[in-house]
Amino acid sequence: MKKSISLITALTVSLFSFSTMSSSGASAKANEPVEILSLRSEYGKHFDNGDGTMTSYVNTAPIHYLEDGEWIEIDNSLVIDENNNY
């Protein structure tokens, strides 16, 4: 009887531990880094990873331009006009 109670207790603890690890991994994937706009510069941006760490992205070419005291992301996408020119 003691052996079966020990086995049931061990299985319950194992299942609880596994479900806790699975749910914490799922919530970590759901948190996307969020850009900290106040730290933008002409060549860089910074992200809050949500876990107390920060990621910085720095480029050798400008990625933002200054407009009215605010750094705006440069959009290099091509647009077709009415003559099918880019």
Side-chain angles (χ1 to χ4, degrees):
M1 183 70 165
K2 275 187 172 181
K3 209 173 200 179
S4 60
I5 292 174
S6 295
L7 181 63
I8 291 171
T9 304
L11 287 173
T12 304
V13 169
S14 297
L15 288 173
F16 179 77
S17 299
F18 179 75
S19 66
T20 304
M21 287 179 5
S22 298
S23 65
S24 66
S27 64
K29 291 179 184 177
N31 292 337
E32 292 289 323
V34 177
E35 185 179 359
I36 305 168
L37 297 177
S38 63
L39 296 178
R40 269 189 179 182
S41 67
E42 184 176 12
Y43 294 93
K45 54 176 67 182
H46 298 76
F47 297 90
D48 179 359
N49 296 322
D51 61 358
T53 64
M54 186 185 309
T55 300
S56 298
Y57 172 77
V58 181
N59 201 353
T60 56
I63 55 175
H64 300 111
Y65 63 94
L66 193 59
E67 183 177 285
D68 298 327
E70 184 179 347
W71 289 106
I72 309 296
E73 193 139 356
I74 296 173
D75 181 6
N76 289 325
S77 58
L78 299 174
V79 180
I80 298 175
D81 66 10
E82 64 277 350
N83 298 320
N84 287 332
N85 296 318
Y86 288 96

